[in-house]
Amino acid sequence: MATPKTPIIAFLIFLLFSTPTTSTATKKPVRGHLPCKEMVFYFHDVLFNGQNHDNATSAIVGSPQWGNKTTMATPFSFGDLVIFDDPITLDNNFHGPSIGRAQGMYLYDQRSIYGAWLAFSFLFNSSAYIGTLNFVGADPLMNKTRDISIVGGTGDFFMTRGIATLMTDSFEGEVYFRLRVDIKLYECWQ
Ligand SMILES: *[C@@H]1O[C@H](CO)[C@@H](O)[C@H](O)[C@H]1NC(C)=O
Ligand SMILES: *[C@@H]1O[C@H](CO)[C@@H](O)[C@H](O)[C@H]1NC(C)=O
Ligand SMILES: *[C@@H]1O[C@H](CO)[C@@H](O)[C@H](O)[C@H]1NC(C)=O
Ligand SMILES: *[C@@H]1O[C@H](CO)[C@@H](O)[C@H](O)[C@H]1NC(C)=O
């Protein structure tokens, strides 16, 4: 009975010791991906501050117990949740022609430095593009550039994925900021 089992045990021992070596040896090489599409947009956010109701494009909808909905909480706006519907333009001119809207939310989730978490969509409605791009990710605001994920898209951006590099292009107190968004798509289906 012992004889037929021996090769099996030997094989199991072989598997046990060979597996780690094999998986290291077959580790996938890091490929240098190139984007299939690159675009640059700006979006403009005017936060409601109690007086600018007609012009505001965003509003604090949730604040911590120690804050309120017209002023960012201290410290570091922690706990504030903002909903926005911001115009998207091709250059940094707020009054330039808008090619769509950036709609969604950002929430401040860092207690010891300015940092937010973003979840929003670009809704394009122009002769250049029709469709949406969906963004999500952490936004450490003190970084000059921040990368967030583009997790999908529809219409002209069917099934896409990529990275958006955000840059604060202008910042006027708590009321107005402008973001430059450098989009690199690495998966394009059309
Ligand atoms: C809204 O913007 C217009 C033009 O930029 C300006 O004249 C007006 O004073 C603003 N209104 C408020 C409430 O900020
Ligand atoms: C909101 O909080 C700020 C800062 O604490 C305060 O100056 C302001 O008066 C408050 N506004 C309202 C409407 O309670
Ligand atoms: C898109 O633009 C067209 C033409 O300006 C307009 O009729 C339509 O309502 C817009 N759709 C959305 C979802 O904004
Ligand atoms: C923010 O900056 C730090 C330091 O330069 C860097 O290590 C980090 O990757 C940056 N984070 C993002 C999300 O870009």
Side-chain angles (χ1 to χ4, degrees):
M1 288 300 280
T3 329
K5 272 187 187 159
T6 313
I8 299 171
I9 292 165
F11 179 65
L12 287 177
I13 290 168
F14 167 76
L15 273 188
L16 189 69
F17 287 99
S18 66
T19 310
T21 331
T22 315
S23 69
T24 315
T26 58
K27 212 176 197 174
K28 278 188 195 144
V30 178
R31 270 182 280 162
H33 291 289
L34 292 173
C36 48
K37 194 168 184 57
E38 295 186 49
M39 300 173 287
V40 178
F41 300 109
Y42 292 81
F43 73 92
H44 309 259
D45 192 81
V46 181
L47 184 64
F48 176 65
N49 64 359
Q51 275 117 51
N52 59 353
H53 179 269
D54 293 342
N55 293 357
T57 62
S58 67
I60 303 172
V61 300
S63 69
Q65 192 65 42
W66 60 87
N68 64 43
K69 291 179 185 161
T70 52
T71 309
M72 287 295 193
T74 43
F76 305 111
S77 308
F78 179 78
D80 283 323
L81 167 63
V82 176
I83 304 280
F84 62 93
D85 178 359
D86 293 346
I88 305 170
T89 57
L90 289 171
D91 61 20
N92 62 9
N93 180 4
F94 180 41
H95 300 287
S98 138
I99 60 153
R101 311 291 296 185
Q103 296 171 336
M105 64 175 177
Y106 49 90
L107 51 93
Y108 290 85
D109 59 355
Q110 295 199 31
R111 277 200 66 112
S112 50
I113 192 168
Y114 279 104
W117 192 80
L118 305 171
F120 64 95
S121 299
F122 272 9
L123 282 73
F124 293 101
N125 185 20
S126 74
S127 52
Y129 303 112
I130 303 265
T132 65
L133 283 173
N134 297 307
F135 301 79
V136 77
D139 183 12
L141 287 160
M142 302 318 283
N143 277 32
K144 191 161 182 285
T145 64
R146 294 90 64 183
D147 285 353
I148 60 168
S149 306
I150 299 172
V151 295
T154 64
D156 287 346
F157 304 105
F158 175 78
M159 290 282 284
T160 198
R161 288 200 299 165
I163 296 289
T165 303
L166 308 180
M167 232 177 293
T168 307
D169 189 54
S170 169
F171 182 79
E172 292 164 21
E174 282 189 345
V175 173
Y176 173 77
F177 69 79
R178 179 171 68 232
L179 289 185
R180 179 189 155 108
V181 187
D182 280 52
I183 290 175
K184 287 193 173 74
L185 301 178
Y186 292 88
E187 235 174 77
C188 302
W189 288 67
Q190 57 187 40

